[in-house]
Structure formats: structure tokens, C-alpha cells
């Protein structure tokens, strides 16, 4: 009785698998899936929605394409063994396998590894929980392009002529590894990559506030979290206008929903406000640093190589061995 | 001085291309091989000037001129015309010029509207991988331009009696294969360069997204031909859609969608 039930379930499962396999290995499924993917991707790019391409249903659509690709690849393998002119078919299968490896690599990449984006400040330690080392940014060497060379460009996206971050990695408080990194020149140690941003680079600085009683307070201003400083009854914010020539910061306040500049401070010139004196303290550079581990990179490279190799292989043999009756008809 | 010489070479090239196309068109209408041959010679002359202009720009900039939009577009035009000149060595292929030369001309006129300033090569762009990315992508687009022109030629000839448009159908298919391979290489090398500079392989930036869409259309074309046995008319229509995607990816995205690509652009 139990055996008969098992047989029925097995038969049902085999039949269901055959149907699913038949459905996904058919070009009547593969081509519409491809067309739907194209249409959805076009829609997604023209009507931008946050994280559309990371949504479960878009990734699911790519996944269905992957399943279809896998089943079509499996379907082709017996043809390779049977047919004449199978060299060209080997190319097709290798290309499809390459794309599959890419999809698997992308999925694995989404589930493994880590990625942090931190701000490293000159002469300060950056601690990232879970990393086996602490990062110390020894110095940041920056050189700008001459203004006339980049005048026609959007200032926000102009890279620096030279942008070197000199890092020391410390383990147990002892220097362990030294590296000089720059945008496009990352450092890799123990599978962990460190890469500075070419855009997110700037200055942090101190505002020294002296009250009417002569008491001083030092406020550190980081551009990504600018503090509000109470000067008497006036809340102010400071904004750096640092550069090789101009080492100053603007002191601003909000009036009628608009930022109004109250004055400029430097290390030489103080600003008097509500009986308080504001001056510029220490100035340091910072850079954003991406710290990541990507174990799936070799899988992606393998997938790319397989895909390209398969394409070239296929094209070469298809045109060398082409004979009537050897054309592939799948699905 | 170099700027003026460059402008002179650019203008002369454009003028010669226009004359060559007109001559080619006339030769084709009259069925005169002699006129078509003259058009090809004019085109060769224009192309050599084009090459000189790119060489001058290389010398002037001190780096391969594949940095600014003007350089991309003129280089793309040079590839399109160059590929046609290669094809035209075989007289049977020459009709392709009727529809392919306007693509080159369109690119040249578009380049004429772009700022021509020479720009220093930013350190992060000083990468062999990036140059390979630009070159392979443009080769892919140039190859698809052949597919497009061959497909339009096919559609034209198919309506005429006593013609055999099959040659153009096969040409479109073969060029599509090269286009697909080069675009694949272009996307992969672009992703690898992005990874090295930005620490990320893929951003879903509009340019990337549209390259992916174009790649999918190329893929659909090849599959439609290879497995669904699409030939002739239907395949030609799909090839034209693919070409529209190339133009949108290459030019339309720059105007319509914000992106991180074109960091060098003005």
C-alpha cells in the first residue's frame, strides 16, 4: 500500500519535473522571457524607481531566465553527442554555461562577502567591527588639476590629479601592513580590498568657541554630520571652504528658512558673535574608503571567460563545419 | 594653431563624406559603377583626413583621444566609415553605403555640435582596461551599424523584382555576431574597470542599463535567427530595433537620463 503510494508520488513528481523542464527548455518560453526582461528593463530605466533592479521580482525574472538557460543547456548536451557538426554546439553550450556561471556568481555575491564605506580621517584610527585590523590614515596627499583645465566640468565630479591615501593597518596595536591606495589603485590583503572614493574627499575642522567668560570649547565639524553650535541664543553651522589657498570656514545660521552667512573664520581671523569669539582650530583631510570582501569575483571572471570562449568557438566551427542539415533546431 | 588645423581637417572630412554620399547615391540610382567607384575614392580621401585629424588630436592631447564625447563620436564615425570602406573592396557590397554612410554622417554632424576642447587625461581614466572598454564597445556598435545598413538594404531589395537580397541578409547576421561579441567584451571590461575605480562591478546606471538592454536585443536577434530560423524581413526589423537601441544608448541616454557615465563630459 505504502509502496504503491510512493510510486504514485514518484510518478507525479517525475511527470511534474518533465513538464517544468519541457516548459522552461522550450524557446516558446525562453524568447518571451527575454522579451519581457527587455521591456521591464527599459521601463525601469525610463521610469526610475529606487532599487527597482534589486527588487525580488526583477531578480526573480532574471532567475527565470537563468532556469530557462540551464534547461536549454541541458537539452543541448545529448545533441552534441549525437549530431554531426557538434563543435559549434559545444560553443553554444559553453556560452550558456558561462552566462549561468555569471548568474550563479551574482547570486552568491549577493549572499556572501561584506562591504563597508567609512570615512578615514588623517592621523586618526578607523575601527570597523569584525575586521581583523584597524586602519590608520597616515596622510592624504592631494593635488588638484589646474583650474583652467577643468573649468568646463561639473566641479563635483572632477577627480584629483593626485590622491594618495597612505594607510597603516594595525593588529593588536602594532603596525602590520602599509599601503598607498588611490582611486583605481586599491590594496588587497587577506582577501579584503581597500579602495578610496574619487569623489567623497574633503576636510574636517575644529571651531574654537570662546565665551564671554574666556572659557573655550572645541567643536569638531565633520561635513557628513555637521553639528549645530549654540552661540548665545543663535544656533549656527560651519561650512568649510578649505583649499590650498583658502583655509577658511563660513559660519551660517538659518533665517526665514534660508541659510545666511554671518561671517568667515580662519586660524588668523576670529569672528565675534553674541559676545562669543569663533576661530578655526585644527584642519584635517578625510577620504571615504570602501572596505570589501568579494569571494565571488573569480566565479564572475570564470563565467565571462567561458561565455567569450564559447562565442568564439561557436562562430569559428559554425562557419567551418557548416553543412546542410547540421543546423541546430532547439525547442 | 593645432585647434585651427583640427577644425580644418574635421570640416574637410565632413564635406568629403557628404560629397561621397551624394555621389554614391547618384551612382546607385543610375546603376553606374564608375560613379560609385569615384564616390569610394572620395570617401577614402575623407577617411585619411579623418585619420589625420584623430592623429593630430592624439598628438595634441598626449593620450589616446577617447576621452571626451567629441572624441567618442568622431572615432565611432571613423570606425563606421572605415568598416564600409573595407566592405566596399568587394563590389557586391557597395550598395551598403547608401544606408551606412548616413549613419557616419549623422555621427559627424552630431560631433560638430559637441565642444571640441582637448582635455587632460584624469589619472583614474589612465587605464588600458578603460581604453579597451571604449574600443570594444564602439567596435560592437560599428558592427551593428553594418547589420542595420545591411538589413535596410535587404528590406529595400526585397520589394524589387529580379534582385537577390540574400547577400545582405547573411551579411547582417555575420556582422551581428561580431557586434554581440564586441559589446559583450565592452560590457565586461567596463564592469571590471568600474570595479577597480569605484569598487563596484555594476551600478544600474542608465548607460549601463541601456548597454544591457542593447545586449539583450542583440541576443534576441541572434537567437531569433539561430533557433527560430528568422530570416529576411522579420530579422531585418529586429536589427533596426537593435540599431535604435544603440543610438539611444550612445546618444539619447546622455540627454534624457542622469548618470555617472560621462564623468569627462561637459
Amino acid at each position: 500500500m505504502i509502496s504503491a503510494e510512493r510510486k504514485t508520488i514518484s510518478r507525479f513528481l517525475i511527470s511534474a519535473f518533465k513538464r517544468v523542464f519541457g516548459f522552461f527548455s522550450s524557446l516558446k518560453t525562453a524568447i518571451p522571457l527575454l522579451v519581457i526582461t527587455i521591456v521591464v528593463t527599459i521601463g525601469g530605466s525610463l521610469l526610475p524607481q529606487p532599487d527597482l533592479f534589486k527588487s525580488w521580482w526583477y531578480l526573480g525574472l532574471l532567475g527565470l531566465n537563468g532556469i530557462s538557460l540551464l534547461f536549454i543547456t541541458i537539452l543541448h548536451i545529448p545533441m552534441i553527442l549525437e549530431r554531426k557538426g557538434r563543435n559549434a554546439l559545444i560553443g553554444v553550450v559553453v556560452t550558456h554555461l558561462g552566462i549561468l556561471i555569471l548568474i550563479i556568481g551574482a547570486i552568491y555575491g549577493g549572499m556572501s562577502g561584506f562591504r563597508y564605506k567609512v570615512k578615514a580621517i588623517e592621523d586618526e584610527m578607523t575601527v570597523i567591527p569584525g575586521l581583523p585590523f584597524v586602519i590608520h590614515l597616515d596622510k592624504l596627499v592631494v593635488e588638484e588639476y589646474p583650474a583652467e583645465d577643468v573649468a568646463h566640468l561639473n566641479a563635483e565630479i572632477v577627480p584629483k590629479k593626485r590622491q594618495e591615501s597612505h594607510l597603516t593597518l594595525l593588529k593588536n596595536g602594532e603596525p602590520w601592513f602599509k599601503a598607498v591606495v588611490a582611486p583605481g589603485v586599491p590594496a588587497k590583503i587577506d582577501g579584503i580590498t581597500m579602495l578610496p572614493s574619487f569623489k567623497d574627499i574633503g576636510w574636517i575642522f575644529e571651531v574654537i568657541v570662546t565665551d564671554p567668560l574666556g572659557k573655550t570649547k572645541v567643536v569638531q565639524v565633520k561635513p557628513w554630520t555637521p553639528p549645530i553650535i549654540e552661540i548665545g541664543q543663535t544656533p549656527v553651522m560651519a561650512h568649510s571652504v578649505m583649499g590650498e589657498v583658502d583655509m577658511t570656514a563660513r559660519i551660517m545660521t538659518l533665517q526665514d528658512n534660508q541659510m545666511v552667512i554671518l561671517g568667515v573664520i580662519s586660524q588668523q581671523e576670529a569672528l565675534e558673535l553674541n559676545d562669543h569669539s569663533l576661530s578655526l582650530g585644527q584642519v584635517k583631510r578625510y577620504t571615504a574608503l570602501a572596505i570589501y570582501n568579494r569571494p565571488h569575483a573569480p566565479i564572475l571572471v570564470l563565467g565571462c571567460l567561458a561565455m567569450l570562449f564559447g562565442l568564439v568557438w561557436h562562430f569559428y566551427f559554425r562557419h567551418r563545419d557548416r553543412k546542410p542539415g547540421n543546423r541546430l533546431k532547439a525547442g | 594653431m593645432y585647434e585651427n588645423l583640427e577644425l580644418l581637417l574635421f570640416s574637410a572630412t565632413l564635406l568629403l563624406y557628404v560629397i561621397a554620399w551624394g555621389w554614391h547615391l547618384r551612382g546607385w540610382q543610375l546603376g553606374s559603377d564608375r560613379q560609385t567607384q569615384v564616390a569610394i575614392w572620395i570617401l577614402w580621401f575623407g577617411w585619411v583626413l579623418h585619420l589625420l585629424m584623430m592623429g593630430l588630436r592624439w598628438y595634441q592631447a598626449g593620450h589616446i583621444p577617447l576621452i571626451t564625447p567629441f572624441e567618442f563620436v568622431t572615432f565611432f564615425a571613423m570606425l563606421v566609415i572605415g568598416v564600409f570602406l573595407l566592405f566596399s573592396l568587394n563590389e557586391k557590397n557597395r550598395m551598403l553605403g547608401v544606408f551606412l554612410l548616413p549613419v557616419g554622417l549623422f555621427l559627424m554632424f552630431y560631433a560638430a555640435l559637441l565642444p571640441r576642447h582637448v582635455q587632460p587625461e584624469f589619472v583614474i581614466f589612465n587605464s588600458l582596461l578603460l581604453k579597451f572598454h571604449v574600443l570594444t564597445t564602439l567596435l560592437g556598435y560599428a558592427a551593428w551599424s553594418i547589420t542595420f545598413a545591411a538589413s535596410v538594404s535587404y528590406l529595400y531589395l526585397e520589394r524589387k523584382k529580379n534582385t537577390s537580397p540574400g547577400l545582405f541578409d547573411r551579411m547582417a547576421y555575420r556582422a551581428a555576431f561580431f557586434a554581440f561579441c564586441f559589446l559583450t567584451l565592452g560590457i565586461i571590461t567596463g564592469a571590471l574597470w568600474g570595479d577597480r575605480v569605484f569598487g563596484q562591478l555594476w551600478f544600474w546606471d542608465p548607460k549601463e542599463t541601456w548597454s544591457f538592454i542593447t545586449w539583450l536585443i542583440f541576443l534576441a536577434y541572434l537567437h531569433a535567427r539561430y533557433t527560430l530560423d528568422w530570416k529576411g524581413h522579420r530579422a531585418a526589423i529586429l536589427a533596426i530595433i537593435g540599431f535604435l537601441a544603440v543610438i539611444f544608448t550612445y546618444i539619447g541616454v546622455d540627454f534624457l537620463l542622469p548618470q555617472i557615465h560621462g564623468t569627462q563630459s561637459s
Side-chain angles (χ1 to χ4, degrees):
Chain A
M1 184 72 181
I2 293 171
S3 172
E5 252 180 41
R6 275 188 183 164
K7 272 185 184 170
T8 313
I9 292 170
S10 302
R11 268 203 297 270
F12 172 76
L13 287 176
I14 290 166
S15 147
F17 179 75
K18 275 184 178 170
R19 281 187 185 187
V20 171
F21 186 88
F23 178 74
F24 279 107
S25 63
S26 161
L27 282 165
K28 285 177 185 164
T29 307
I31 300 290
L33 262 178
L34 195 59
V35 172
I36 292 169
T37 309
I38 292 171
V39 171
V40 168
T41 313
I42 290 174
S45 78
L46 296 179
L47 308 165
Q49 289 182 20
D51 291 333
L52 180 135
F53 295 117
K54 290 174 189 163
S55 65
W56 65 268
W57 60 268
Y58 186 78
L59 292 175
L61 189 60
L62 292 183
L64 287 178
N65 275 286
I67 290 170
S68 163
L69 202 64
L70 175 68
F71 287 180
I72 288 173
T73 308
I74 292 170
L75 192 73
H76 279 160
I77 291 171
M79 290 184 189
I80 291 173
L81 302 173
E82 288 166 13
R83 278 175 181 250
K84 280 183 180 177
R86 60 188 174 196
N87 278 326
L89 275 173
I90 291 173
V92 171
V93 170
V94 173
T95 305
H96 283 185
L97 278 176
I99 298 174
L100 272 174
I101 293 170
L102 273 176
I103 293 173
I104 291 166
I107 293 168
Y108 176 59
M111 296 188 307
S112 60
F114 58 80
R115 184 183 181 86
Y116 301 104
K117 196 173 178 188
V118 294
K119 311 273 193 219
I121 298 165
E122 244 180 338
D123 207 24
E124 286 189 20
M125 298 279 189
T126 306
V127 181
I128 301 168
L131 275 197
F133 50 78
V134 172
I135 301 166
H136 184 268
L137 176 58
D138 303 336
K139 64 175 175 178
L140 193 51
V141 181
V142 177
E143 198 183 323
E144 305 275 354
Y145 282 102
E148 62 271 20
D149 282 353
V150 293
H152 56 282
L153 297 173
N154 178 354
E156 279 182 19
I157 54 166
V158 176
K160 313 288 181 211
K161 190 170 184 180
R162 191 171 167 214
Q163 187 185 327
E164 291 173 0
S165 300
H166 294 246
L167 305 175
T168 300
L169 309 186
L170 299 106
K171 258 187 183 176
N172 305 318
E174 296 293 321
W176 169 62
F177 182 76
K178 276 187 176 289
V180 179
V181 294
V185 190
K188 198 169 180 183
I189 179 97
D190 284 353
I192 300 168
T193 306
M194 287 158 288
L195 176 72
S197 162
F198 89 93
K199 253 166 73 174
D200 195 356
I201 177 171
W203 305 84
I204 65 151
F205 56 96
E206 292 170 347
V207 175
I208 302 169
V209 183
T210 309
D211 68 13
L213 299 170
K215 239 171 84 179
T216 59
K217 186 171 77 172
V218 178
V219 181
Q220 197 177 50
V221 180
K222 295 173 177 170
W224 57 96
T225 48
I228 293 171
I229 313 164
E230 293 290 340
I231 308 293
Q233 297 298 313
T234 314
V236 302
M237 288 179 87
H239 170 72
S240 105
V241 271
M242 307 298 173
E244 296 306 329
V245 184
D246 199 3
M247 280 287 201
T248 56
R250 285 183 189 144
I251 302 297
M252 300 175 294
T253 191
L254 196 65
Q255 278 178 8
D256 301 327
N257 285 328
Q258 282 201 324
M259 290 303 268
V260 177
I261 299 169
L262 298 172
V264 174
I265 57 169
S266 69
Q267 281 165 337
Q268 289 78 36
E269 284 181 51
L271 173 72
E272 299 299 324
L273 183 67
N274 294 347
D275 297 329
H276 288 64
S277 171
L278 284 81
S279 64
L280 189 66
Q282 200 181 16
V283 175
K284 288 180 181 178
R285 285 187 185 273
Y286 80 87
T287 179
L289 211 53
I291 316 280
Y292 53 90
N293 163 266
R294 214 173 19 218
H296 63 299
I299 303 175
L300 297 178
V301 171
L302 180 72
C304 289
L305 288 176
M307 186 169 65
L308 288 169
F309 177 76
L311 277 171
V312 174
W313 179 283
H314 165 73
F315 191 71
Y316 175 74
F317 282 107
R318 183 169 160 78
H319 290 277
R320 202 196 70 167
D321 300 344
R322 202 165 186 192
K323 289 173 191 166
N326 274 353
R327 284 177 60 88
L328 168 72
K329 297 230 184 205
Chain B
M1 190 189 90
Y2 289 130
E3 286 85 354
N4 291 338
L5 185 57
E6 185 191 282
L7 183 62
L8 187 72
L9 284 171
F10 180 82
S11 310
T13 304
L14 184 53
L15 185 69
L16 286 170
Y17 284 170
V18 172
I19 294 170
W21 184 50
W23 215 291
H24 194 287
L25 214 55
R26 188 91 187 114
W28 174 62
Q29 277 173 341
L30 298 174
S32 160
D33 289 343
R34 196 154 169 258
Q35 287 221 16
T36 309
Q37 183 60 52
V38 173
I40 302 284
W41 282 118
I42 297 171
L43 204 61
W44 268 110
F45 187 43
W47 196 76
V48 169
L49 292 187
H50 199 155
L51 203 64
L52 277 176
M53 188 201 80
M54 295 304 281
L56 178 72
R57 198 165 175 93
W58 191 335
Y59 174 74
Q60 203 184 344
H63 55 79
I64 299 175
L66 289 176
I67 297 272
T68 66
F70 174 78
E71 290 165 355
F72 291 150
V73 179
T74 40
F75 187 72
F76 184 12
M78 199 178 85
L79 281 180
V80 168
I81 303 287
V83 170
F84 169 67
L85 286 171
L86 276 181
F87 270 74
S88 70
L89 294 175
N90 184 341
E91 283 185 18
K92 280 192 280 184
N93 297 336
R94 288 185 175 175
M95 189 195 149
L96 202 63
V98 175
F99 302 106
L100 188 58
L101 292 182
V103 175
L105 278 176
F106 165 74
L107 291 168
M108 288 296 278
F109 278 113
Y110 175 56
L113 302 174
L114 295 168
R116 286 188 304 113
H117 53 258
V118 172
Q119 199 168 283
E121 186 177 44
F122 295 142
V123 176
I124 60 166
F125 295 101
N126 183 11
S127 149
L128 208 60
L129 201 60
L130 179 65
K131 272 139 200 155
F132 198 68
H133 158 65
V134 173
L135 187 68
T136 46
T137 307
L138 289 183
L139 277 170
Y141 291 164
W144 198 269
S145 302
I146 300 281
T147 299
F148 164 76
S151 299
V152 178
S153 302
Y154 175 88
L155 289 177
Y156 176 80
L157 289 177
E158 140 187 273
R159 295 164 59 185
K160 299 252 168 192
K161 283 180 184 170
N162 303 323
T163 55
S164 49
L167 166 78
F168 291 103
D169 188 45
R170 287 193 295 278
M171 192 190 291
Y173 178 39
R174 288 183 184 187
F177 189 83
F178 281 101
F180 182 72
C181 286
F182 279 123
L183 186 62
T184 305
L185 257 178
I187 290 175
I188 291 171
T189 48
L192 290 175
W193 177 77
D195 182 49
R196 194 149 181 85
V197 172
F198 304 112
Q200 206 167 319
L201 283 160
W202 196 260
F203 289 89
W204 289 110
D205 162 70
K207 198 78 151 184
E208 284 176 346
T209 308
W210 271 90
S211 297
F212 178 57
I213 291 165
T214 307
W215 186 82
L216 286 176
I217 295 174
F218 288 11
L219 190 72
Y221 175 88
L222 288 175
H223 277 79
R225 290 205 66 130
Y226 191 42
T227 54
L228 296 180
D229 224 8
W230 277 26
K231 276 184 188 168
H233 192 87
R234 282 193 295 187
I237 299 290
L238 194 52
I240 292 167
I241 294 172
F243 185 71
L244 294 177
V246 166
I247 294 294
F248 189 78
T249 306
Y250 198 63
I251 296 169
V253 168
D254 291 347
F255 290 104
L256 298 175
L257 304 168
Q259 51 171 325
I260 60 160
H261 251 89
T263 301
Q264 296 270 42
S265 63
S266 47

